[in-house]
């Protein structure tokens, strides 16, 4: 999967491996570490004996303009880790992650939320976090306000908002500038039906205009509706990659077989 | 945010990190300011709470210790006031730097921002708090009418040097504490001792022939480079050179650590 040959890939992963060292008890303590090494007389030895969780192994794929990818798999399969690797939060232990264009991650509604600030101030803060300049924010503010449909609530501190209202606000900001790459985790499902259909229209709209989306979800119906491609992850490995319907089918067949046992 | 990622050298990546953090100044200024507001929200005095508590400390310490040490209050109080304000800044930086990255977990795990942005945000907040304490010094200087004169301008490069050291040290401490969680506690106990052995509520002249106790203390020079001009004397040659040497050492440690372990921070927290 060569990026230079495949110039219009917005996301490209090559044999990405992400492993987490597990720090527990003593390895979190500098004192214990220093004392241990002092008596053993060797430094840096036990670093290699450390317990490691392999969260992603040998993950390779590329996404082109207009593709919408769903990540499916059981809990702990590595969906969120993969999203974070694409977002550049976890730099892979091995392999290469290449993204082109502005990334808009929506993993947690509450990031950059200051509960005591008003809705308007939080919109500004989130937009700054996503890399917009002050002028861009003011220019897009009316559109964001309209999309949230929160009206006068935007004058109120965010403490008073419900989870669904916060979701509207975050979604409106995260999608106000048509990011080239939109990454979403589960929680997007918590909106009401009206909001969800609006969100879907909006995503379709800018996926049509040169963007890609990656969505991690357990809701297979939603994955089918929103996405064109699917990846089935299991224990950090790609079990299947292809058109969403066939991946969902394979996954369902597997789940049914496991349940039948 | 970084537009495109290719695997450059670690040094390049670290430099890019810092360059993009500087470019994002509106973001870290806003976040730093929010931190201050957040801490003092719904209190009547707001950030001036720290001003009030500092004023009480300065009054109490200088009145008691001027008696103990037999020094005139009009000389001693400005000295203690300037020294305490600078020390408070240094100690706040060193204490709170421990949670610099581990406290920003919700940001670091959700969105890719340059790591040094958190350092800038942190230092911005600390500098703002220091500015809130300056009125006390001005009142004290006015009351005893010991205006420092034009020498006071030396405070600008001196303070700039202190802030640079703060940025470097907080990056170092923040990274080490993200990996080793007992470091902040070690620093807290170290600072208590340092407060007592550094000339803040006593003058180095009182050491008699054992002046070296102050001379070898790096914190003495870092305080003195700001305190001396505030009190109307330029810092000594020795203080300037020692401060520059400390800065170089700090820079070396911070850069080496950051270049080597930058990508691991997200895994540590």
């Amino acid at each position: 999967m060569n990026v230079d040959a495949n110039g219009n890939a917005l996301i490209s992963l090559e044999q990405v491996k992400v492993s987490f060292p597990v720090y527990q008890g003593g390895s979190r303590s500098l004192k214990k570490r220093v004392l241990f090494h002092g008596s053993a007389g060797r430094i840096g030895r036990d670093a290699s004996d450390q317990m490691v969780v392999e969260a992603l192994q040998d993950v390779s794929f590329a996404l082109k303009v207009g593709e919408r990818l769903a990540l499916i798999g059981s809990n702990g399969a590595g969906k969120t880790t993969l999203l974070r690797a694409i977002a550049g939060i976890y730099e892979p232990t091995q392999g290469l992650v290449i993204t082109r264009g502005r990334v808009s991650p929506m993993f947690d509604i509450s990031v950059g939320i200051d509960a005591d600030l008003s809705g308007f101030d939080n919109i500004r803060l989130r937009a700054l976090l996503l890399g917009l300049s002050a002028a861009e924010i003011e220019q897009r503010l009316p559109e964001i306000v309209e999309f949230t449909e929160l009206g006068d609530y935007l004058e109120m501190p965010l403490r008073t908002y419900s989870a669904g209202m916060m979701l509207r606000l975050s979604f409106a900001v995260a999608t106000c500038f048509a990011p080239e790459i939109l990454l979403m985790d589960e929680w997007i499902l918590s909106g009401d039906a009206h909001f969800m259909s609006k969100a879907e229209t909006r995503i379709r709209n800018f996926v049509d205009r040169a963007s890609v989306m990656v969505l991690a979800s357990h809701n297979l119906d939603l994955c089918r509706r929103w996405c064109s491609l699917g990846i089935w992850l299991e224990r950090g490995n790609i079990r299947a990659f292809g058109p969403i319907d066939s991946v969902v089918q394979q996954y369902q067949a597997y789940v049914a077989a496991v349940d039948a046992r | 945010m970084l537009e495109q990622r290719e695997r450059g050298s670690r040094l390049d990546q670290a430099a890019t990190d810092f360059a993009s953090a500087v470019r994002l100044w509106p973001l870290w200024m806003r976040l730093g300011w929010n931190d201050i507001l957040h801490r003092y929200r719904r209190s009547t005095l707001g950030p001036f709470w720290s001003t009030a508590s500092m004023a009480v400390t300065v009054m109490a310490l200088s009145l008691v210790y001027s008696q103990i040490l037999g020094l005139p209050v009009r000389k001693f109080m400005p000295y203690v006031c300037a020294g305490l304000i600078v020390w408070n800044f240094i100690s706040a930086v060193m204490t709170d730097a421990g949670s610099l990255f581990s406290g920003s977990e919700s940001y670091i795990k959700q969105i890719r921002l340059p790591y040094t942005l958190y350092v800038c945000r942190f230092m911005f907040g600390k500098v703002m708090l220091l500015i809130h304490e300056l009125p006390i010094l001005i009142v004290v200087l006015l009351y005893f009418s010991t205006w420092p004169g034009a020498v006071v301008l030396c405070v600008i490069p001196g303070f700039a040097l202190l802030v640079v050291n703060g940025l470097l040290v907080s990056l170092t401490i923040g990274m080490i504490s993200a990996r080793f969680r007992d470091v902040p506690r070690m620093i807290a106990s170290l600072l208590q001792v340092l407060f007592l052995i550094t000339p803040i509520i006593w003058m180095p002249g009182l050491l008699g022939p054992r002046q070296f106790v102050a001379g070898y203390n790096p914190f003495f020079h870092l305080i003195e480079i700001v305190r001396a001009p505030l009190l109307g004397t330029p810092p000594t040659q020795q203080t300037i050179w020692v401060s520059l040497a400390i800065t170089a050492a700090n820079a070396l440690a911070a850069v080496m650590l950051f270049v080597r372990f930058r990508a691991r921070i997200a895994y540590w927290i």
Side-chain angles (χ1 to χ4, degrees), chain A residues 27-29 88 91 107 116, chain B residues 112 178-179 182 262 267-268:
Chain A
S27 66
R28 271 285 190 213
S29 161
E91 293 182 22
F107 302 153
D116 287 314
Chain B
R112 181 187 172 86
R179 175 66 182 81
D182 53 353
R262 182 192 52 83
Y267 291 85
W268 285 340

Side-chain angles (χ1 to χ4, degrees), chain A residues 16-218:
Chain A
V16 168
K17 182 178 165 184
V18 171
S19 47
F20 292 96
V22 179
Y23 299 113
Q24 47 187 4
S27 66
R28 271 285 190 213
S29 161
L30 184 62
K31 185 190 87 185
K32 285 200 180 145
R33 214 165 149 130
V34 168
L35 290 180
F36 173 76
H37 287 307
S39 52
R42 272 177 197 244
I43 292 173
R45 243 299 159 81
D46 77 343
S48 52
D49 299 336
Q50 217 152 39
M51 214 169 34
V52 164
V53 173
E54 310 276 0
L56 290 178
Q57 287 177 63
D58 203 21
V59 172
S60 304
F61 66 89
L63 291 183
K64 291 197 289 281
V65 167
E67 290 182 321
R68 287 155 290 151
L69 174 73
L71 303 177
I72 55 181
S74 56
N75 295 122
K79 300 188 293 293
T80 305
T81 308
L82 181 52
L83 278 180
R84 286 184 179 159
I86 298 172
I89 293 162
Y90 293 134
E91 293 182 22
T93 335
Q94 278 171 35
L96 206 51
V97 177
I98 295 170
T99 55
R100 284 164 201 274
R102 201 136 55 161
V103 180
S104 195
M106 288 199 291
F107 302 153
D108 188 342
I109 343 174
S110 59
V111 66
I113 288 282
D114 192 325
D116 287 314
L117 290 182
S118 73
F120 281 117
D121 287 340
N122 271 293
I123 290 177
R124 293 195 181 96
L125 185 61
R126 281 191 83 92
L128 266 181
L129 276 170
L130 290 173
L132 268 69
S133 73
E136 282 175 304
I137 298 166
E138 295 311 319
Q139 185 198 330
R140 290 186 168 86
L141 197 60
E143 192 203 323
I144 299 173
V145 169
E146 200 210 303
F147 189 84
T148 60
E149 293 181 8
L150 290 172
D152 291 340
Y153 261 105
L154 288 171
E155 307 277 1
M156 307 264 283
L158 246 73
R159 266 182 285 123
T160 60
Y161 283 36
S162 72
M165 290 162 79
M166 275 197 206
L167 167 65
R168 282 169 178 237
L169 191 142
S170 320
F171 188 86
V173 180
T175 57
C176 75
F177 55 88
E180 278 83 8
I181 297 167
L182 180 66
L183 307 172
M184 287 191 296
D185 213 341
E186 308 268 25
W187 58 262
I188 188 72
L189 307 172
S190 61
D192 59 33
H194 166 65
F195 174 75
M196 291 297 280
S197 73
K198 252 179 97 171
E200 192 177 345
T201 320
R202 185 168 239 203
I203 287 176
R204 277 199 195 285
N205 209 324
F206 64 62
V207 169
D208 291 341
R209 303 197 308 259
S211 302
V212 298
M213 179 189 79
V214 182
L215 166 74
S217 175
H218 290 292

